[in-house]
Amino acid sequence: MIAVWLMVTGCANLESDLTVEPSEASTETSIESTQGNKPATEKCVSIGQEITDRLKAYNAAFVAEDVDLLYNDFWPLDHHTFVPNWDKDREEMRAQMTWFYERGNLYSYNLKSLDRYVYKDVVYDFGAGNSTGEMNGTLFTSYDYYFIRWTKENDGVWRVDKNVGGPRGNSSEVIPTTNEGPVVCFNKNQSDQPAVNSEITDRFNAYINALTTGNINQAYEFWSQDIHFYGTGLNADREGLYEHYRQFFETGQILSSKPTLFYRFVHGNVAYDIGQSDDTIVTDDVQSTKKTNYVIRWEKGHGGVWRITRIMEVFRR
């Protein structure tokens, strides 16, 4: 939804807590995992379908220009959206969307889940989308990546707790890492684990050090076998990401990286980070600043080592 947000502003293996395995699924929902064959629980399939239905309703609310519906039915009190030009809370989003609809229209808004992870009353969605509309008489089309953290509120309604979005960089079709609308169910609710936070922070700092020193072989060891990178101009698996950095470091370097972590959600052996980063890079002897919003999914694998299974890194002004 990059064009919308620009217009709006006026300018490998799942670990021990995995409980659901491949099985039949309803409509758009499928079950994916890498362990043995266990029957999928009805609840797991049901939650996946609930999120699919809510996602469609969320799309429709944007197209209908129903700010009150978005505010009351989709954005909880602690809602936070990160997009290229800003990050805003619930009240700020209401004002921003009201401002936009006074000056423009959204003709279509379609989000498609690529990876979905269910933790009882919390669901994490990585996906891609496209939208069309106009702003002050200027037509636009956008092609984007998104991340949504869904939470089931006390009234039983799924709402968009956290949202990160940014440009894919082109209109090419995105190849899902699994089937459309995958559902992977876990046993672990969110937990506050200071020791885990420290472990992940140390791993993240070591990963950043590998990149800023141009040590691509070391960085490679931080990625799980099934890592997938969703970024502006890049949609890659482990080998593709390695080749991307190998080519970059032939003529460029990352002089510094200054990440800011806003949220970390830990569920046993899995964690999700939401943050922003300001990187100073050199490409072909030209120095520039690269600003991004990022989401990282961590998994604690064999030997108790935290590795990165998903990265979404999208442009930020």
Side-chain angles (χ1 to χ4, degrees), residues 54 57 60-62 64-75:
R54 285 293 282 170
F62 274 104
E65 303 182 8
D66 196 334
V67 177
D68 287 338
L69 182 63
L70 290 167
Y71 181 83
N72 294 312
D73 199 44
F74 286 98
W75 298 333

Side-chain angles (χ1 to χ4, degrees), residues 61-214:
F62 274 104
V63 175
E65 303 182 8
D66 196 334
V67 177
D68 287 338
L69 182 63
L70 290 167
Y71 181 83
N72 294 312
D73 199 44
F74 286 98
W75 298 333
L77 293 177
D78 55 354
H79 172 83
H80 203 150
T81 286
F82 297 84
V83 290
N85 281 26
W86 37 256
D87 61 272
K88 294 185 180 295
D89 62 22
R90 184 179 186 233
E91 297 300 327
E92 293 168 330
M93 280 295 296
R94 184 178 195 173
Q96 195 70 56
M97 294 311 299
T98 299
W99 181 93
F100 168 70
Y101 288 130
E102 289 173 350
R103 295 161 175 80
N105 300 98
L106 192 59
Y107 301 141
S108 67
Y109 183 41
N110 300 298
L111 303 180
K112 178 180 179 181
S113 175
L114 301 176
D115 291 299
R116 179 172 293 163
Y117 305 95
V118 177
Y119 301 81
K120 295 186 177 179
D121 291 338
V122 181
V123 174
Y124 297 89
D125 240 356
F126 290 86
N130 56 67
S131 56
T132 60
E134 62 88 17
M135 178 67 175
N136 292 328
T138 301
L139 298 176
F140 63 80
T141 301
S142 68
Y143 305 93
D144 316 292
Y145 285 122
Y146 75 86
F147 169 83
I148 293 178
R149 181 179 191 263
W150 296 89
T151 54
K152 196 169 189 176
E153 304 297 304
N154 292 332
D155 58 1
V157 176
W158 289 99
R159 291 187 170 87
V160 178
D161 177 53
K162 304 292 182 286
N163 179 36
V164 183
R168 299 206 309 262
N170 57 61
S171 61
S172 61
E173 183 177 356
V174 175
I175 301 174
T177 57
T178 60
N179 293 330
E180 181 179 358
V183 178
V184 181
C185 287
F186 290 77
N187 240 342
K188 303 292 185 180
N189 284 325
Q190 184 182 341
S191 57
D192 183 16
Q193 303 181 45
V196 169
N197 287 330
S198 179
E199 288 175 10
I200 297 173
T201 296
D202 290 344
R203 286 288 285 171
F204 182 63
N205 290 338
Y207 175 62
I208 294 300
N209 183 68
L211 292 177
T212 54
T213 57

Side-chain angles (χ1 to χ4, degrees), residues 23-31 45-46 48-53 56 116 179-183:
S23 177
E24 294 294 324
S26 60
T27 59
E28 296 183 40
T29 306
S30 62
I31 306 297
V45 177
S46 175
Q49 188 59 49
E50 288 174 16
I51 295 300
T52 294
D53 293 342
K56 289 180 179 178
R116 179 172 293 163
N179 293 330
E180 181 179 358
V183 178

Side-chain angles (χ1 to χ4, degrees), residues 252-304:
Q253 62 183 126
I254 303 174
L255 297 178
S256 66
S257 181
K258 297 179 180 179
T260 301
L261 178 67
F262 285 91
Y263 300 100
R264 174 169 291 153
F265 304 103
V266 179
H267 301 265
N269 291 337
V270 181
Y272 298 81
D273 285 355
I274 299 175
Q276 295 178 338
S277 186
D278 292 354
D279 302 339
T280 301
I281 65 174
V282 175
T283 306
D284 296 326
D285 296 325
V286 178
Q287 182 172 315
S288 62
T289 300
K290 175 185 174 184
K291 296 185 176 184
T292 58
N293 290 316
Y294 71 82
V295 179
I296 296 178
R297 182 181 188 272
W298 296 88
E299 234 178 68
K300 193 172 186 177
H302 300 296

Side-chain angles (χ1 to χ4, degrees), residues 3-59:
V4 175
W5 299 128
L6 292 176
M7 293 293 182
V8 164
T9 57
C11 33
N13 290 332
L14 299 170
E15 296 305 320
S16 58
D17 56 347
L18 181 66
T19 61
V20 178
E21 303 304 325
S23 177
E24 294 294 324
S26 60
T27 59
E28 296 183 40
T29 306
S30 62
I31 306 297
E32 295 289 333
S33 95
T34 56
Q35 290 187 338
N37 292 320
K38 298 178 183 177
T41 64
E42 182 177 346
K43 180 179 180 181
C44 175
V45 177
S46 175
I47 290 175
Q49 188 59 49
E50 288 174 16
I51 295 300
T52 294
D53 293 342
R54 285 293 282 170
L55 188 61
K56 289 180 179 178
Y58 193 47
N59 295 343

